[in-house]
Amino acid sequence: MTTVITTISGGYYDYVYHMEIDKSDTDTLLLSTHTQLLTYNTRDNRLTSIAGSNSSARGYRDGVGDEALFFSITGFTQINSSTVVVADRGNHCLRQIDRTTRRVSHYAGVCQTSGYEDGAADQAKFYAPWSVYVNKNNNTNLIVTDYGNKALREVSTITQRVITLMSVAQYSPYAIAWHPRNNSIIYISCYCVVITVDMTSVSSGYNTLTG
């Protein structure tokens, strides 16, 4: 049996692209639409906006709460219980949300400018970054699926620098998952295929699992 527990309405297209358990409250889900990051409390079915607009307005603007504008939040990760980094695909950059103050600010990439460049976080360029994860092999680094550049990129939360981990050749990566017993093995979902990569030897390439 399927039960509809709540309906997201008001955002552009109203897609829920990503959701995960809230690190600060295991009875709460964090979820993202194109234009908002929200919490859903499973105890009382309450939906609350953290940041972004629930209107059809999409764009780029830093600010607090609903003053901030996103173009398309297709992924996010929780660095800790109070800090969320989102992949704003349409603005070609990563943005940071402070949950304590609800303030949205730049994190990495040149927002509103697509491209491909490694380097300092405020100078590096992405092309439609789709999702972002804390690296399970080094939790001070974030892994980004750089969809438009067909690559996995990494951002150091310590040095604030961006590097390229590997090219995914003809595939555009959407999301990744770690092997349940070996964090060196990751699975990358791309259009019509899933590929597997041994991160200890990424230069040796990858295997296609499905197609």
Side-chain angles (χ1 to χ4, degrees):
M1 182 180 70
T2 301
T3 302
V4 177
I5 54 175
T6 192
T7 302
I8 309 296
S9 62
Y12 190 78
Y13 291 141
D14 301 331
Y15 293 147
V16 175
Y17 271 107
H18 181 68
M19 62 181 177
E20 56 188 58
I21 300 295
D22 189 339
K23 284 189 181 229
S24 63
D25 181 0
T26 56
D27 287 323
T28 299
L29 295 174
L30 276 181
L31 53 93
S32 66
T33 67
H34 270 289
T35 58
Q36 279 185 297
L37 184 74
L38 308 104
T39 59
Y40 172 71
N41 189 302
T42 61
R43 293 184 296 270
D44 58 14
N45 293 339
R46 188 176 71 253
L47 194 65
T48 305
S49 175
I50 298 175
S53 170
N54 67 353
S55 72
S56 60
R58 297 205 290 178
Y60 175 75
R61 183 170 66 219
D62 287 338
V64 176
D66 60 7
E67 295 175 355
L69 289 179
F70 299 93
F71 197 94
S72 186
I73 304 173
T74 45
F76 64 83
T77 194
Q78 300 170 77
I79 293 181
N80 51 49
S81 61
S82 62
T83 305
V84 178
V85 173
V86 306
D88 190 349
R89 177 172 58 91
N91 280 317
H92 308 291
C93 63
L94 305 183
R95 320 262 304 271
Q96 177 174 289
I97 302 172
D98 183 329
R99 294 185 59 185
T100 304
T101 63
R102 300 176 64 212
R103 179 170 294 280
V104 178
S105 58
H106 169 271
Y107 191 78
V110 180
C111 294
Q112 297 184 289
T113 301
S114 63
Y116 176 74
E117 186 174 338
D118 287 338
D122 60 351
Q123 298 174 12
K125 291 180 182 177
F126 300 94
Y127 187 178
W130 198 282
S131 56
V132 57
Y133 305 84
V134 174
N135 188 340
K136 289 191 176 183
N137 292 301
N138 182 347
N139 61 13
T140 64
N141 291 346
L142 305 179
I143 294 180
V144 181
T145 58
D146 193 345
Y147 178 85
N149 285 316
K150 300 180 179 179
L152 292 188
R153 314 283 293 280
E154 189 172 56
V155 185
S156 169
T157 64
I158 304 299
T159 66
Q160 290 294 298
R161 293 191 67 81
V162 178
I163 65 170
T164 298
L165 283 179
M166 66 173 292
S167 167
V168 199
Q170 71 267 36
Y171 302 117
S172 292
Y174 290 102
I176 67 174
W178 275 262
H179 189 284
R181 294 176 300 281
N182 184 353
N183 284 343
S184 295
I185 305 296
I186 65 170
Y187 301 94
I188 308 171
S189 66
C190 305
Y191 183 68
C192 294
V193 300
V194 174
I195 62 178
T196 178
V197 177
D198 184 345
M199 296 302 289
T200 61
S201 56
V202 292
S203 61
S204 64
Y206 50 81
N207 297 314
T208 301
L209 298 183
T210 62

